[in-house]
Amino acid sequence: MKKKIAIIGAGIGGLTLANLLQKSSNFEFIIYEKSETLNLEEGFGIQLAVNSVFVLNQIGFNNLNKAELFNPKELNFYSNENKVCELDLTQFNNETEKYTTLKRSTLIKFLKDKLFSNLIRFNKTLETVEQNQNTIKINFKDGVSEEVDFLVVSDGVFSQTKSIIEKKIFKPNYYGALAIRTQVKAKDISEFKAENISLFMSSKAHLVSYPINDNRDINVVCILRKKLNEKKTIEQLLSEKFVNENKHLSNLFKGDLKSWSIYTSSKPIKSIFKKVFYIGDAFYAFPPTLAQGASQSIESAKELYDLLIDNKQNIENTYFEKRLKKTIVINNRSRLNYFAFHFSNPVLKIFRNEFLKRLIKSKSFINRYLGKIYN
């Protein structure tokens, strides 16, 4: 008999898991999404390391129109206006999987289009969850109830589902930072190489830019330190905390600006219920300084899928322990990056930059620090 799976949330993690499950005749599943539709208009970019591209290729990502994505070859580090060094991203690539940048909406559309339309139910908000002897009963606010064998939660850092299931309030932590995003055309900029990822480190902020398609549309994200109660406009914050030290980049922010406060998870948890799993940001939302948010959503979906396919008993501990181990590594390195990117002391900046130059040339360090994450 087929196992029934309910997936809460039609984000990257939930849609990836659904596409993997669709390959097996042993499962039937439904995705429940609280929104009215999937937003395919958002053009902001994401980075996919080789680990996640490997998973996506199993469901046809390698057949995506190449004009809709980009494979940057380098990550260039800048300290204010001066280039420090570059990291060769191709060392993590192979013939079929390459470090990839693209629009988040492009990936969502790809994942959605691979599924039958009736497998996503919109306007569905969870109300209660009950553990029966061998099944889980999920009740929605519209009065609909379902009994399933497994429940997978993939609805993000602000998930209310986790609080409902665990009967405990979970609130994300404000990270003390604001993200400001915009897009520019490669032809309109000359400050850096548009075919690479560029990282500009400053005292109170850092900026990352990269192309998101073959047209060289450039995604620009500035992460700046900000107190939660700091009452200033986006333009004021950009001017004071980044542009004042990087005036040559001021033309990047002439277009439409979007901003959001950065929140991270308190800590990963294993559900009080059997056969309930958290993936993606519902498991743990990372700081953005290792660019692993999307990749870890995809990777966690694959880890859970593999365990479900093996059909072993009590897989909750196996999944949680493996995901926790990877989460700790990525979280620690993301926080270290955030600290190192924002040095203000001139002496420390010089030390950091020289240290970076040496580390980038060390293959053993790169394999330990990034290779175990990217591959």
Side-chain angles (χ1 to χ4, degrees), residues 76-111:
N76 293 320
F77 292 87
Y78 295 84
S79 181
N80 297 123
E81 298 185 10
N82 302 311
K83 183 176 177 180
V84 178
C85 57
E86 66 279 334
L87 171 67
D88 177 16
L89 294 174
T90 64
Q91 64 186 297
F92 306 109
N93 296 346
N94 55 52
E95 289 186 8
T96 54
E97 286 89 33
K98 295 178 172 59
Y99 199 99
T100 300
T101 55
L102 72 168
K103 291 182 180 180
R104 182 182 184 276
S105 56
T106 299
L107 178 57
I108 292 290
K109 185 177 186 303
F110 161 78
L111 293 169

PDB file of all heavy atoms in Angstrom, residues 76-111:
ATOM      1  N   ASN A  76      35.106  36.933  -6.313  1.00  0.00           N
ATOM      2  CA  ASN A  76      36.117  37.968  -6.107  1.00  0.00           C
ATOM      3  C   ASN A  76      35.863  38.702  -4.800  1.00  0.00           C
ATOM      4  O   ASN A  76      34.746  39.168  -4.558  1.00  0.00           O
ATOM      5  CB  ASN A  76      36.106  38.962  -7.265  1.00  0.00           C
ATOM      6  CG  ASN A  76      36.567  38.328  -8.564  1.00  0.00           C
ATOM      7  OD1 ASN A  76      37.496  37.533  -8.562  1.00  0.00           O
ATOM      8  ND2 ASN A  76      35.916  38.662  -9.660  1.00  0.00           N
ATOM      9  N   PHE A  77      36.898  38.811  -3.970  1.00  0.00           N
ATOM     10  CA  PHE A  77      36.807  39.512  -2.690  1.00  0.00           C
ATOM     11  C   PHE A  77      37.377  40.918  -2.839  1.00  0.00           C
ATOM     12  O   PHE A  77      38.482  41.091  -3.376  1.00  0.00           O
ATOM     13  CB  PHE A  77      37.599  38.765  -1.607  1.00  0.00           C
ATOM     14  CG  PHE A  77      37.018  37.441  -1.222  1.00  0.00           C
ATOM     15  CD1 PHE A  77      37.357  36.281  -1.919  1.00  0.00           C
ATOM     16  CD2 PHE A  77      36.142  37.334  -0.152  1.00  0.00           C
ATOM     17  CE1 PHE A  77      36.832  35.056  -1.557  1.00  0.00           C
ATOM     18  CE2 PHE A  77      35.606  36.104   0.217  1.00  0.00           C
ATOM     19  CZ  PHE A  77      35.951  34.972  -0.490  1.00  0.00           C
ATOM     20  N   TYR A  78      36.627  41.902  -2.330  1.00  0.00           N
ATOM     21  CA  TYR A  78      37.084  43.291  -2.323  1.00  0.00           C
ATOM     22  C   TYR A  78      37.020  43.830  -0.900  1.00  0.00           C
ATOM     23  O   TYR A  78      36.084  43.533  -0.145  1.00  0.00           O
ATOM     24  CB  TYR A  78      36.196  44.172  -3.208  1.00  0.00           C
ATOM     25  CG  TYR A  78      36.251  43.837  -4.684  1.00  0.00           C
ATOM     26  CD1 TYR A  78      35.459  42.813  -5.216  1.00  0.00           C
ATOM     27  CD2 TYR A  78      37.066  44.550  -5.549  1.00  0.00           C
ATOM     28  CE1 TYR A  78      35.501  42.504  -6.564  1.00  0.00           C
ATOM     29  CE2 TYR A  78      37.105  44.250  -6.910  1.00  0.00           C
ATOM     30  CZ  TYR A  78      36.321  43.231  -7.404  1.00  0.00           C
ATOM     31  OH  TYR A  78      36.354  42.930  -8.742  1.00  0.00           O
ATOM     32  N   SER A  79      38.017  44.595  -0.530  1.00  0.00           N
ATOM     33  CA  SER A  79      37.982  45.341   0.718  1.00  0.00           C
ATOM     34  C   SER A  79      37.803  46.801   0.338  1.00  0.00           C
ATOM     35  O   SER A  79      38.747  47.450  -0.139  1.00  0.00           O
ATOM     36  CB  SER A  79      39.281  45.144   1.505  1.00  0.00           C
ATOM     37  OG  SER A  79      39.237  45.840   2.726  1.00  0.00           O
ATOM     38  N   ASN A  80      36.557  47.283   0.499  1.00  0.00           N
ATOM     39  CA  ASN A  80      36.181  48.595  -0.038  1.00  0.00           C
ATOM     40  C   ASN A  80      36.475  48.619  -1.538  1.00  0.00           C
ATOM     41  O   ASN A  80      35.950  47.805  -2.273  1.00  0.00           O
ATOM     42  CB  ASN A  80      36.875  49.711   0.726  1.00  0.00           C
ATOM     43  CG  ASN A  80      36.444  49.745   2.189  1.00  0.00           C
ATOM     44  OD1 ASN A  80      37.268  49.665   3.083  1.00  0.00           O
ATOM     45  ND2 ASN A  80      35.142  49.819   2.447  1.00  0.00           N
ATOM     46  N   GLU A  81      37.361  49.473  -2.013  1.00  0.00           N
ATOM     47  CA  GLU A  81      37.555  49.605  -3.459  1.00  0.00           C
ATOM     48  C   GLU A  81      38.632  48.676  -4.007  1.00  0.00           C
ATOM     49  O   GLU A  81      38.786  48.558  -5.223  1.00  0.00           O
ATOM     50  CB  GLU A  81      37.919  51.060  -3.805  1.00  0.00           C
ATOM     51  CG  GLU A  81      36.827  52.064  -3.446  1.00  0.00           C
ATOM     52  CD  GLU A  81      37.172  53.463  -3.900  1.00  0.00           C
ATOM     53  OE1 GLU A  81      38.164  53.609  -4.645  1.00  0.00           O
ATOM     54  OE2 GLU A  81      36.455  54.409  -3.531  1.00  0.00           O
ATOM     55  N   ASN A  82      39.370  48.028  -3.145  1.00  0.00           N
ATOM     56  CA  ASN A  82      40.533  47.269  -3.592  1.00  0.00           C
ATOM     57  C   ASN A  82      40.240  45.767  -3.644  1.00  0.00           C
ATOM     58  O   ASN A  82      39.735  45.195  -2.681  1.00  0.00           O
ATOM     59  CB  ASN A  82      41.712  47.524  -2.654  1.00  0.00           C
ATOM     60  CG  ASN A  82      42.061  48.995  -2.567  1.00  0.00           C
ATOM     61  OD1 ASN A  82      42.196  49.662  -3.595  1.00  0.00           O
ATOM     62  ND2 ASN A  82      42.212  49.507  -1.356  1.00  0.00           N
ATOM     63  N   LYS A  83      40.596  45.165  -4.756  1.00  0.00           N
ATOM     64  CA  LYS A  83      40.435  43.723  -4.866  1.00  0.00           C
ATOM     65  C   LYS A  83      41.489  43.027  -4.011  1.00  0.00           C
ATOM     66  O   LYS A  83      42.665  43.370  -4.041  1.00  0.00           O
ATOM     67  CB  LYS A  83      40.555  43.270  -6.326  1.00  0.00           C
ATOM     68  CG  LYS A  83      40.312  41.769  -6.482  1.00  0.00           C
ATOM     69  CD  LYS A  83      40.338  41.339  -7.942  1.00  0.00           C
ATOM     70  CE  LYS A  83      40.176  39.827  -8.054  1.00  0.00           C
ATOM     71  NZ  LYS A  83      40.188  39.355  -9.448  1.00  0.00           N
ATOM     72  N   VAL A  84      41.052  42.019  -3.251  1.00  0.00           N
ATOM     73  CA  VAL A  84      41.948  41.289  -2.358  1.00  0.00           C
ATOM     74  C   VAL A  84      42.432  40.001  -3.017  1.00  0.00           C
ATOM     75  O   VAL A  84      43.626  39.737  -3.114  1.00  0.00           O
ATOM     76  CB  VAL A  84      41.240  40.962  -1.020  1.00  0.00           C
ATOM     77  CG1 VAL A  84      42.157  40.151  -0.116  1.00  0.00           C
ATOM     78  CG2 VAL A  84      40.784  42.240  -0.334  1.00  0.00           C
ATOM     79  N   CYS A  85      41.501  39.182  -3.490  1.00  0.00           N
ATOM     80  CA  CYS A  85      41.849  37.896  -4.084  1.00  0.00           C
ATOM     81  C   CYS A  85      40.613  37.310  -4.736  1.00  0.00           C
ATOM     82  O   CYS A  85      39.528  37.912  -4.695  1.00  0.00           O
ATOM     83  CB  CYS A  85      42.399  36.934  -3.027  1.00  0.00           C
ATOM     84  SG  CYS A  85      41.256  36.664  -1.638  1.00  0.00           S
ATOM     85  N   GLU A  86      40.747  36.143  -5.340  1.00  0.00           N
ATOM     86  CA  GLU A  86      39.612  35.472  -5.959  1.00  0.00           C
ATOM     87  C   GLU A  86      39.640  33.985  -5.634  1.00  0.00           C
ATOM     88  O   GLU A  86      40.709  33.382  -5.521  1.00  0.00           O
ATOM     89  CB  GLU A  86      39.558  35.691  -7.466  1.00  0.00           C
ATOM     90  CG  GLU A  86      40.687  35.082  -8.262  1.00  0.00           C
ATOM     91  CD  GLU A  86      41.960  35.928  -8.251  1.00  0.00           C
ATOM     92  OE1 GLU A  86      41.857  37.159  -8.060  1.00  0.00           O
ATOM     93  OE2 GLU A  86      43.046  35.340  -8.429  1.00  0.00           O
ATOM     94  N   LEU A  87      38.446  33.426  -5.479  1.00  0.00           N
ATOM     95  CA  LEU A  87      38.281  31.993  -5.248  1.00  0.00           C
ATOM     96  C   LEU A  87      37.786  31.352  -6.535  1.00  0.00           C
ATOM     97  O   LEU A  87      36.776  31.779  -7.108  1.00  0.00           O
ATOM     98  CB  LEU A  87      37.273  31.753  -4.123  1.00  0.00           C
ATOM     99  CG  LEU A  87      36.819  30.304  -3.895  1.00  0.00           C
ATOM    100  CD1 LEU A  87      37.980  29.451  -3.397  1.00  0.00           C
ATOM    101  CD2 LEU A  87      35.650  30.249  -2.914  1.00  0.00           C
ATOM    102  N   ASP A  88      38.484  30.326  -6.993  1.00  0.00           N
ATOM    103  CA  ASP A  88      38.101  29.596  -8.197  1.00  0.00           C
ATOM    104  C   ASP A  88      36.947  28.651  -7.872  1.00  0.00           C
ATOM    105  O   ASP A  88      37.130  27.644  -7.191  1.00  0.00           O
ATOM    106  CB  ASP A  88      39.304  28.820  -8.732  1.00  0.00           C
ATOM    107  CG  ASP A  88      38.962  27.983  -9.953  1.00  0.00           C
ATOM    108  OD1 ASP A  88      37.898  28.226 -10.569  1.00  0.00           O
ATOM    109  OD2 ASP A  88      39.750  27.078 -10.285  1.00  0.00           O
ATOM    110  N   LEU A  89      35.748  28.974  -8.340  1.00  0.00           N
ATOM    111  CA  LEU A  89      34.572  28.153  -8.066  1.00  0.00           C
ATOM    112  C   LEU A  89      34.533  26.895  -8.923  1.00  0.00           C
ATOM    113  O   LEU A  89      33.851  25.929  -8.574  1.00  0.00           O
ATOM    114  CB  LEU A  89      33.298  28.962  -8.288  1.00  0.00           C
ATOM    115  CG  LEU A  89      33.058  30.134  -7.329  1.00  0.00           C
ATOM    116  CD1 LEU A  89      31.836  30.938  -7.765  1.00  0.00           C
ATOM    117  CD2 LEU A  89      32.881  29.637  -5.897  1.00  0.00           C
ATOM    118  N   THR A  90      35.262  26.885 -10.027  1.00  0.00           N
ATOM    119  CA  THR A  90      35.211  25.729 -10.924  1.00  0.00           C
ATOM    120  C   THR A  90      35.862  24.501 -10.295  1.00  0.00           C
ATOM    121  O   THR A  90      35.630  23.382 -10.761  1.00  0.00           O
ATOM    122  CB  THR A  90      35.891  26.037 -12.263  1.00  0.00           C
ATOM    123  OG1 THR A  90      37.289  26.283 -12.044  1.00  0.00           O
ATOM    124  CG2 THR A  90      35.271  27.264 -12.920  1.00  0.00           C
ATOM    125  N   GLN A  91      36.655  24.686  -9.240  1.00  0.00           N
ATOM    126  CA  GLN A  91      37.297  23.535  -8.597  1.00  0.00           C
ATOM    127  C   GLN A  91      36.281  22.620  -7.915  1.00  0.00           C
ATOM    128  O   GLN A  91      36.583  21.463  -7.611  1.00  0.00           O
ATOM    129  CB  GLN A  91      38.334  24.004  -7.580  1.00  0.00           C
ATOM    130  CG  GLN A  91      37.772  24.771  -6.408  1.00  0.00           C
ATOM    131  CD  GLN A  91      38.861  25.333  -5.503  1.00  0.00           C
ATOM    132  OE1 GLN A  91      39.627  24.580  -4.903  1.00  0.00           O
ATOM    133  NE2 GLN A  91      38.934  26.652  -5.414  1.00  0.00           N
ATOM    134  N   PHE A  92      35.069  23.138  -7.681  1.00  0.00           N
ATOM    135  CA  PHE A  92      34.025  22.324  -7.068  1.00  0.00           C
ATOM    136  C   PHE A  92      33.124  21.668  -8.118  1.00  0.00           C
ATOM    137  O   PHE A  92      32.284  20.837  -7.782  1.00  0.00           O
ATOM    138  CB  PHE A  92      33.159  23.186  -6.140  1.00  0.00           C
ATOM    139  CG  PHE A  92      33.949  23.929  -5.102  1.00  0.00           C
ATOM    140  CD1 PHE A  92      34.093  25.296  -5.175  1.00  0.00           C
ATOM    141  CD2 PHE A  92      34.577  23.251  -4.065  1.00  0.00           C
ATOM    142  CE1 PHE A  92      34.829  25.995  -4.226  1.00  0.00           C
ATOM    143  CE2 PHE A  92      35.314  23.933  -3.118  1.00  0.00           C
ATOM    144  CZ  PHE A  92      35.446  25.308  -3.193  1.00  0.00           C
ATOM    145  N   ASN A  93      33.295  22.063  -9.376  1.00  0.00           N
ATOM    146  CA  ASN A  93      32.414  21.591 -10.441  1.00  0.00           C
ATOM    147  C   ASN A  93      32.862  20.242 -10.990  1.00  0.00           C
ATOM    148  O   ASN A  93      34.002  19.814 -10.804  1.00  0.00           O
ATOM    149  CB  ASN A  93      32.384  22.595 -11.596  1.00  0.00           C
ATOM    150  CG  ASN A  93      31.804  23.940 -11.200  1.00  0.00           C
ATOM    151  OD1 ASN A  93      31.183  24.082 -10.149  1.00  0.00           O
ATOM    152  ND2 ASN A  93      32.004  24.945 -12.040  1.00  0.00           N
ATOM    153  N   ASN A  94      31.932  19.587 -11.681  1.00  0.00           N
ATOM    154  CA  ASN A  94      32.273  18.448 -12.519  1.00  0.00           C
ATOM    155  C   ASN A  94      31.548  18.614 -13.844  1.00  0.00           C
ATOM    156  O   ASN A  94      30.995  19.679 -14.122  1.00  0.00           O
ATOM    157  CB  ASN A  94      31.924  17.123 -11.818  1.00  0.00           C
ATOM    158  CG  ASN A  94      30.461  17.066 -11.392  1.00  0.00           C
ATOM    159  OD1 ASN A  94      29.572  17.311 -12.206  1.00  0.00           O
ATOM    160  ND2 ASN A  94      30.211  16.745 -10.128  1.00  0.00           N
ATOM    161  N   GLU A  95      31.545  17.593 -14.656  1.00  0.00           N
ATOM    162  CA  GLU A  95      30.975  17.735 -16.006  1.00  0.00           C
ATOM    163  C   GLU A  95      29.487  18.047 -15.993  1.00  0.00           C
ATOM    164  O   GLU A  95      28.978  18.747 -16.865  1.00  0.00           O
ATOM    165  CB  GLU A  95      31.235  16.463 -16.816  1.00  0.00           C
ATOM    166  CG  GLU A  95      32.686  16.275 -17.215  1.00  0.00           C
ATOM    167  CD  GLU A  95      32.879  15.091 -18.132  1.00  0.00           C
ATOM    168  OE1 GLU A  95      31.861  14.517 -18.576  1.00  0.00           O
ATOM    169  OE2 GLU A  95      34.040  14.739 -18.413  1.00  0.00           O
ATOM    170  N   THR A  96      28.762  17.524 -15.017  1.00  0.00           N
ATOM    171  CA  THR A  96      27.301  17.670 -15.024  1.00  0.00           C
ATOM    172  C   THR A  96      26.760  18.618 -13.958  1.00  0.00           C
ATOM    173  O   THR A  96      25.640  19.076 -14.066  1.00  0.00           O
ATOM    174  CB  THR A  96      26.632  16.295 -14.835  1.00  0.00           C
ATOM    175  OG1 THR A  96      27.153  15.677 -13.637  1.00  0.00           O
ATOM    176  CG2 THR A  96      26.907  15.396 -16.029  1.00  0.00           C
ATOM    177  N   GLU A  97      27.550  18.891 -12.915  1.00  0.00           N
ATOM    178  CA  GLU A  97      27.095  19.791 -11.853  1.00  0.00           C
ATOM    179  C   GLU A  97      28.058  20.959 -11.715  1.00  0.00           C
ATOM    180  O   GLU A  97      29.270  20.755 -11.539  1.00  0.00           O
ATOM    181  CB  GLU A  97      26.988  19.068 -10.499  1.00  0.00           C
ATOM    182  CG  GLU A  97      25.812  18.133 -10.388  1.00  0.00           C
ATOM    183  CD  GLU A  97      26.133  16.726 -10.863  1.00  0.00           C
ATOM    184  OE1 GLU A  97      27.293  16.292 -10.679  1.00  0.00           O
ATOM    185  OE2 GLU A  97      25.245  16.061 -11.428  1.00  0.00           O
ATOM    186  N   LYS A  98      27.523  22.166 -11.802  1.00  0.00           N
ATOM    187  CA  LYS A  98      28.342  23.369 -11.701  1.00  0.00           C
ATOM    188  C   LYS A  98      27.694  24.369 -10.746  1.00  0.00           C
ATOM    189  O   LYS A  98      26.465  24.394 -10.616  1.00  0.00           O
ATOM    190  CB  LYS A  98      28.516  24.021 -13.088  1.00  0.00           C
ATOM    191  CG  LYS A  98      29.290  23.174 -14.088  1.00  0.00           C
ATOM    192  CD  LYS A  98      29.366  23.875 -15.438  1.00  0.00           C
ATOM    193  CE  LYS A  98      30.298  23.121 -16.391  1.00  0.00           C
ATOM    194  NZ  LYS A  98      29.871  21.742 -16.638  1.00  0.00           N
ATOM    195  N   TYR A  99      28.540  25.147 -10.095  1.00  0.00           N
ATOM    196  CA  TYR A  99      28.025  26.216  -9.241  1.00  0.00           C
ATOM    197  C   TYR A  99      27.124  27.101 -10.096  1.00  0.00           C
ATOM    198  O   TYR A  99      27.500  27.530 -11.184  1.00  0.00           O
ATOM    199  CB  TYR A  99      29.180  27.035  -8.667  1.00  0.00           C
ATOM    200  CG  TYR A  99      28.797  27.838  -7.444  1.00  0.00           C
ATOM    201  CD1 TYR A  99      29.101  27.371  -6.170  1.00  0.00           C
ATOM    202  CD2 TYR A  99      28.123  29.037  -7.550  1.00  0.00           C
ATOM    203  CE1 TYR A  99      28.753  28.087  -5.033  1.00  0.00           C
ATOM    204  CE2 TYR A  99      27.761  29.771  -6.430  1.00  0.00           C
ATOM    205  CZ  TYR A  99      28.078  29.293  -5.175  1.00  0.00           C
ATOM    206  OH  TYR A  99      27.710  30.002  -4.053  1.00  0.00           O
ATOM    207  N   THR A 100      25.907  27.377  -9.605  1.00  0.00           N
ATOM    208  CA  THR A 100      24.869  27.989 -10.439  1.00  0.00           C
ATOM    209  C   THR A 100      24.196  29.154  -9.725  1.00  0.00           C
ATOM    210  O   THR A 100      23.939  29.087  -8.522  1.00  0.00           O
ATOM    211  CB  THR A 100      23.794  26.940 -10.811  1.00  0.00           C
ATOM    212  OG1 THR A 100      24.418  25.872 -11.526  1.00  0.00           O
ATOM    213  CG2 THR A 100      22.693  27.553 -11.668  1.00  0.00           C
ATOM    214  N   THR A 101      23.924  30.196 -10.472  1.00  0.00           N
ATOM    215  CA  THR A 101      23.113  31.310  -9.978  1.00  0.00           C
ATOM    216  C   THR A 101      21.923  31.497 -10.908  1.00  0.00           C
ATOM    217  O   THR A 101      22.023  31.290 -12.118  1.00  0.00           O
ATOM    218  CB  THR A 101      23.928  32.620  -9.911  1.00  0.00           C
ATOM    219  OG1 THR A 101      24.511  32.889 -11.198  1.00  0.00           O
ATOM    220  CG2 THR A 101      25.049  32.510  -8.884  1.00  0.00           C
ATOM    221  N   LEU A 102      20.794  31.881 -10.341  1.00  0.00           N
ATOM    222  CA  LEU A 102      19.573  32.086 -11.122  1.00  0.00           C
ATOM    223  C   LEU A 102      18.543  32.813 -10.268  1.00  0.00           C
ATOM    224  O   LEU A 102      18.762  33.055  -9.079  1.00  0.00           O
ATOM    225  CB  LEU A 102      19.001  30.768 -11.623  1.00  0.00           C
ATOM    226  CG  LEU A 102      18.326  29.813 -10.608  1.00  0.00           C
ATOM    227  CD1 LEU A 102      17.567  28.729 -11.368  1.00  0.00           C
ATOM    228  CD2 LEU A 102      19.298  29.186  -9.647  1.00  0.00           C
ATOM    229  N   LYS A 103      17.417  33.158 -10.874  1.00  0.00           N
ATOM    230  CA  LYS A 103      16.313  33.752 -10.118  1.00  0.00           C
ATOM    231  C   LYS A 103      15.627  32.671  -9.286  1.00  0.00           C
ATOM    232  O   LYS A 103      15.441  31.545  -9.748  1.00  0.00           O
ATOM    233  CB  LYS A 103      15.278  34.371 -11.060  1.00  0.00           C
ATOM    234  CG  LYS A 103      15.738  35.611 -11.800  1.00  0.00           C
ATOM    235  CD  LYS A 103      14.616  36.156 -12.667  1.00  0.00           C
ATOM    236  CE  LYS A 103      15.051  37.406 -13.425  1.00  0.00           C
ATOM    237  NZ  LYS A 103      13.949  37.934 -14.270  1.00  0.00           N
ATOM    238  N   ARG A 104      15.247  33.032  -8.081  1.00  0.00           N
ATOM    239  CA  ARG A 104      14.508  32.088  -7.246  1.00  0.00           C
ATOM    240  C   ARG A 104      13.211  31.673  -7.943  1.00  0.00           C
ATOM    241  O   ARG A 104      12.817  30.503  -7.901  1.00  0.00           O
ATOM    242  CB  ARG A 104      14.182  32.709  -5.888  1.00  0.00           C
ATOM    243  CG  ARG A 104      13.439  31.757  -4.946  1.00  0.00           C
ATOM    244  CD  ARG A 104      13.093  32.437  -3.633  1.00  0.00           C
ATOM    245  NE  ARG A 104      12.473  31.481  -2.702  1.00  0.00           N
ATOM    246  CZ  ARG A 104      11.192  31.175  -2.693  1.00  0.00           C
ATOM    247  NH1 ARG A 104      10.369  31.750  -3.562  1.00  0.00           N
ATOM    248  NH2 ARG A 104      10.714  30.302  -1.819  1.00  0.00           N
ATOM    249  N   SER A 105      12.551  32.623  -8.597  1.00  0.00           N
ATOM    250  CA  SER A 105      11.285  32.322  -9.273  1.00  0.00           C
ATOM    251  C   SER A 105      11.483  31.335 -10.412  1.00  0.00           C
ATOM    252  O   SER A 105      10.597  30.532 -10.709  1.00  0.00           O
ATOM    253  CB  SER A 105      10.643  33.611  -9.798  1.00  0.00           C
ATOM    254  OG  SER A 105      11.533  34.309 -10.657  1.00  0.00           O
ATOM    255  N   THR A 106      12.649  31.365 -11.058  1.00  0.00           N
ATOM    256  CA  THR A 106      12.938  30.403 -12.123  1.00  0.00           C
ATOM    257  C   THR A 106      12.985  28.988 -11.562  1.00  0.00           C
ATOM    258  O   THR A 106      12.441  28.041 -12.146  1.00  0.00           O
ATOM    259  CB  THR A 106      14.276  30.740 -12.812  1.00  0.00           C
ATOM    260  OG1 THR A 106      14.194  32.040 -13.396  1.00  0.00           O
ATOM    261  CG2 THR A 106      14.612  29.725 -13.894  1.00  0.00           C
ATOM    262  N   LEU A 107      13.632  28.830 -10.409  1.00  0.00           N
ATOM    263  CA  LEU A 107      13.704  27.507  -9.783  1.00  0.00           C
ATOM    264  C   LEU A 107      12.333  27.051  -9.298  1.00  0.00           C
ATOM    265  O   LEU A 107      11.948  25.889  -9.498  1.00  0.00           O
ATOM    266  CB  LEU A 107      14.695  27.537  -8.615  1.00  0.00           C
ATOM    267  CG  LEU A 107      14.846  26.223  -7.832  1.00  0.00           C
ATOM    268  CD1 LEU A 107      15.255  25.084  -8.762  1.00  0.00           C
ATOM    269  CD2 LEU A 107      15.835  26.378  -6.695  1.00  0.00           C
ATOM    270  N   ILE A 108      11.572  27.950  -8.667  1.00  0.00           N
ATOM    271  CA  ILE A 108      10.233  27.598  -8.193  1.00  0.00           C
ATOM    272  C   ILE A 108       9.354  27.164  -9.357  1.00  0.00           C
ATOM    273  O   ILE A 108       8.627  26.163  -9.268  1.00  0.00           O
ATOM    274  CB  ILE A 108       9.590  28.781  -7.439  1.00  0.00           C
ATOM    275  CG1 ILE A 108      10.323  29.047  -6.115  1.00  0.00           C
ATOM    276  CG2 ILE A 108       8.113  28.533  -7.189  1.00  0.00           C
ATOM    277  CD1 ILE A 108      10.116  27.991  -5.068  1.00  0.00           C
ATOM    278  N   LYS A 109       9.407  27.897 -10.447  1.00  0.00           N
ATOM    279  CA  LYS A 109       8.599  27.553 -11.627  1.00  0.00           C
ATOM    280  C   LYS A 109       9.008  26.188 -12.176  1.00  0.00           C
ATOM    281  O   LYS A 109       8.145  25.365 -12.531  1.00  0.00           O
ATOM    282  CB  LYS A 109       8.743  28.620 -12.710  1.00  0.00           C
ATOM    283  CG  LYS A 109       7.844  28.398 -13.929  1.00  0.00           C
ATOM    284  CD  LYS A 109       7.975  29.526 -14.931  1.00  0.00           C
ATOM    285  CE  LYS A 109       6.959  29.353 -16.067  1.00  0.00           C
ATOM    286  NZ  LYS A 109       7.083  28.068 -16.779  1.00  0.00           N
ATOM    287  N   PHE A 110      10.306  25.930 -12.262  1.00  0.00           N
ATOM    288  CA  PHE A 110      10.778  24.629 -12.730  1.00  0.00           C
ATOM    289  C   PHE A 110      10.229  23.508 -11.852  1.00  0.00           C
ATOM    290  O   PHE A 110       9.702  22.507 -12.354  1.00  0.00           O
ATOM    291  CB  PHE A 110      12.308  24.605 -12.728  1.00  0.00           C
ATOM    292  CG  PHE A 110      12.887  23.218 -12.750  1.00  0.00           C
ATOM    293  CD1 PHE A 110      12.928  22.481 -13.925  1.00  0.00           C
ATOM    294  CD2 PHE A 110      13.391  22.637 -11.586  1.00  0.00           C
ATOM    295  CE1 PHE A 110      13.449  21.188 -13.944  1.00  0.00           C
ATOM    296  CE2 PHE A 110      13.909  21.360 -11.591  1.00  0.00           C
ATOM    297  CZ  PHE A 110      13.939  20.628 -12.771  1.00  0.00           C
ATOM    298  N   LEU A 111      10.329  23.663 -10.535  1.00  0.00           N
ATOM    299  CA  LEU A 111       9.869  22.631  -9.613  1.00  0.00           C
ATOM    300  C   LEU A 111       8.354  22.456  -9.677  1.00  0.00           C
ATOM    301  O   LEU A 111       7.844  21.331  -9.636  1.00  0.00           O
ATOM    302  CB  LEU A 111      10.302  22.981  -8.188  1.00  0.00           C
ATOM    303  CG  LEU A 111      11.809  22.948  -7.908  1.00  0.00           C
ATOM    304  CD1 LEU A 111      12.111  23.568  -6.554  1.00  0.00           C
ATOM    305  CD2 LEU A 111      12.344  21.528  -7.984  1.00  0.00           C
TER     306      LEU A 111
END
